[in-house]
């Protein structure tokens, strides 16, 4: 089970930022040691021994030069290192059109892949070694996209799209969170980044483009009819079923995901059933209503949703 870790790095953008942080930390440590060391030394060595005023000293050109030029040089060095880090971690986006759009909602993530039109939610697939320009938008309040292993962090502000290059170097699963308080379920607005080698990523994208076949028999067929008849279809898109609202996560390939409800639950049929019975139990405040479904309805809906691979 991966954890949200501040100490994993999966991107040279993250490495550049971490490197700058360590350099500045070391310099600050040296200065702290120097200043406190000298103060302690002076306090001990020159403590008052006799009576009367101590001898007064005024000015020392060499010392003045050292403690003026030293900090200036250090600041110039940190400035250059910072500009370099910005260039590496935040390259210009110019007039490019973004490869992806991520829309933050209370409390989940909507993910669009521009080229293929693939739409998914909460679990974001990236190809390794291929920089992706991502545009971030908000559907409601201010959120913040933060996957520590990828380094960059960006506020998502209503009416003001922000852009970010995301360039993953290493395949793996990396967790992130919304990092700006956005309401009751802010803590359960998790991000799961799945970085795959380009061939695997293309394969995933091709699978996502497909529309899963509609079940025609059994509980699953009954579940499909229920999904159409109940309010589910007013908020959730399942491609092939008609309208494509984006008020709630796209469920076209729900069963292929690892988690439910933005990382709240592991995606198992049991958890899906529990979620349908009472979403507010797991995420108090969630926009998903409790439809007071009967056990049979839950059973049929789960049978249908599990076909959405
Ligand atoms: Cu979205 Cu906090």
């Amino acid at each position: 089970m991966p954890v949200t870790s501040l100490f994993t790095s999966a991107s040279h953008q993250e490495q550049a930022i971490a490197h700058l942080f360590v350099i500045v930390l070391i310099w600050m440590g040296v200065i702290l040691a120097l200043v406190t060391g000298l103060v302690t030394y002076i306090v001990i060595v020159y403590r008052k021994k006799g009576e009367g005023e101590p001898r007064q000293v005024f000015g020392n050109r060499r010392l003045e030069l050292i403690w003026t030029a030293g900090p200036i040089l250090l600041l110039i060095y940190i400035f250059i290192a910072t500009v370099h880090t910005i260039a590496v971690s935040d390259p210009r986006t110019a007039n490019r059109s973004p490869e992806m759009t991520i829309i933050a909602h209370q409390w989940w993530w909507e993910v669009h892949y521009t080229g293929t039109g693939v739409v998914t939610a909460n679990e974001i697939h990236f190809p390794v070694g291929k920089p992706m320009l991502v545009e971030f938008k908000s559907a409601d309040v201010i959120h913040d996209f933060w996957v520590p292993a990828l380094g960059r962090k960006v506020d998502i502000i209503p009416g003001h799209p922000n852009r970010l290059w995301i360039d993953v170097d290493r395949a793996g699963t990396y967790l992130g969170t919304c990092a700006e308080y956005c309401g009751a379920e802010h803590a359960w607005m998790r991000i799961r980044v799945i970085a795959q080698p380009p061939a695997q990523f293309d394969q995933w994208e091709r699978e996502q483009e497909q529309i899963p076949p509609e079940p025609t028999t059994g509980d699953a067929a009954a579940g499909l009819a229920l999904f159409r008849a109940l309010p589910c279809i007013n908020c959730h898109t399942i491609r092939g079923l008609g309208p494509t609202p984006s008020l709630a996560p796209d469920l076209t390939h729900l069963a292929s995901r690892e988690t439910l409800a933005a990382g709240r639950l592991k995606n198992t049929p049991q958890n899906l059933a529990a979620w349908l019975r009472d979403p507010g139990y797991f995420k108090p405040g969630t926009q998903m209503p409790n439809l007071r479904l009967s056990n049979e309805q839950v059973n049929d809906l789960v049978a249908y949703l599990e076909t959405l691979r």
Side-chain angles (χ1 to χ4, degrees), residues 104-105 107 109 142-144 178-183 186-187 189:
H105 293 254
W107 291 278
W109 305 88
I142 302 179
H143 302 267
D144 188 290
C178 176
E180 180 75 44
Y181 182 70
C182 56
H186 159 70
M189 192 168 161

Side-chain angles (χ1 to χ4, degrees), residues 158-264:
H160 179 91
N162 276 330
R163 287 177 169 197
L164 199 65
W165 282 104
I166 293 187
D167 193 354
V168 194
D169 299 334
R170 224 154 33 90
T173 299
Y174 309 105
L175 301 191
T177 53
C178 176
E180 180 75 44
Y181 182 70
C182 56
E185 290 306 322
H186 159 70
W188 281 117
M189 192 168 161
R190 302 288 171 89
I191 306 158
R192 181 171 281 254
V193 162
I194 297 159
Q196 298 167 303
Q200 261 184 45
F201 173 81
D202 290 343
Q203 162 90 15
W204 173 82
E205 231 183 0
R206 275 197 302 275
E207 284 164 13
Q208 295 288 309
E209 282 179 281
Q210 310 296 321
I211 296 178
E214 289 185 10
T216 49
T217 53
D219 293 352
L224 168 59
L226 267 177
F227 189 90
R228 280 205 167 102
L230 291 169
C232 318
I233 200 167
N234 297 337
C235 300
H236 290 283
T237 292
I238 292 180
R239 269 181 301 127
L241 284 197
T244 55
S246 59
L247 297 168
D250 185 302
L251 302 180
T252 312
H253 293 278
L254 174 70
S256 70
R257 293 187 203 140
E258 294 170 31
T259 59
L260 297 171
R264 178 66 182 87

Side-chain angles (χ1 to χ4, degrees), residues 74-199:
L74 183 61
L75 284 177
I76 290 174
Y77 169 70
I78 290 176
F79 174 74
I80 293 172
T82 304
V83 170
H84 174 73
T85 303
I86 291 172
V88 172
S89 68
D90 190 19
R92 294 168 66 93
T93 61
N95 296 321
R96 277 179 71 108
S97 52
E99 274 96 3
M100 288 170 71
T101 305
I102 297 180
I103 304 168
H105 293 254
Q106 283 174 316
W107 291 278
W108 59 282
W109 305 88
E110 179 182 346
V111 186
H112 291 257
Y113 294 81
T114 319
T116 51
V118 164
V119 181
T120 183
N122 302 322
E123 297 184 5
I124 311 175
H125 290 244
F126 284 103
V128 169
K130 184 170 175 267
M132 300 283 272
L133 181 60
V134 185
E135 183 157 275
F136 290 89
K137 295 178 177 173
S138 169
D140 35 51
V141 300
I142 302 179
H143 302 267
D144 188 290
F145 178 90
W146 188 38
V147 181
L150 306 184
R152 291 299 312 282
K153 187 172 187 235
V154 68
D155 264 5
I156 307 172
I157 297 158
H160 179 91
N162 276 330
R163 287 177 169 197
L164 199 65
W165 282 104
I166 293 187
D167 193 354
V168 194
D169 299 334
R170 224 154 33 90
T173 299
Y174 309 105
L175 301 191
T177 53
C178 176
E180 180 75 44
Y181 182 70
C182 56
E185 290 306 322
H186 159 70
W188 281 117
M189 192 168 161
R190 302 288 171 89
I191 306 158
R192 181 171 281 254
V193 162
I194 297 159
Q196 298 167 303

